Amino acid sequence: VVSSAVCLLELCSLETEMLRVDVQAARRIYEHHMQPGPGGGPEDGDRTRAAAASVIELFLSFPDVQASPSRAAEAAINSGHLLTALRMLEESTWALDPHPSAPSVSS
């Protein structure tokens, strides 16, 4: 679905970079939420829907950046939703790979 939307926007000569970045960030946050914790079991349908809904709602609550650049920057700085998404993206990115100073296990 996302690829089709991006393709349609590109055919209409519209910018897709922001959409692509938002989709990748949302996907990373969602996948991080769906990772089972210690002792976690298989994915639950309700948990999957709730995680997807929370990420979608978070991204839909971003400020509109189509206004003037100064207003967009001010709105972004003051947006709690955007800052929350950035924090969640940071956490999910750090979870991809163990910290470089962590001892590695060799076999």
Side-chain angles (χ1 to χ4, degrees), residues 5-84:
V6 168
C7 183
L8 176 64
L9 292 173
E10 288 178 345
L11 288 172
C12 295
S13 300
L14 297 171
E15 288 293 321
T16 61
E17 185 177 6
M18 286 178 50
L19 175 62
R20 290 172 188 256
V21 169
D22 285 351
V23 167
Q24 288 299 319
R27 182 175 290 148
R28 182 171 292 175
I29 292 168
Y30 169 76
E31 289 173 354
H32 177 67
H33 279 310
M34 293 310 299
Q35 290 178 350
E43 292 183 14
D44 179 48
D46 290 337
R47 180 174 172 245
T48 302
R49 283 188 292 279
S54 69
V55 172
I56 290 168
E57 190 64 35
L58 177 65
F59 275 73
L60 288 176
S61 63
F62 285 178
D64 183 17
V65 295
Q66 299 302 322
S68 69
S70 61
R71 282 186 168 170
E74 184 179 330
I77 290 170
N78 295 324
S79 172
H81 299 290
L82 182 58
L83 295 176
T84 299

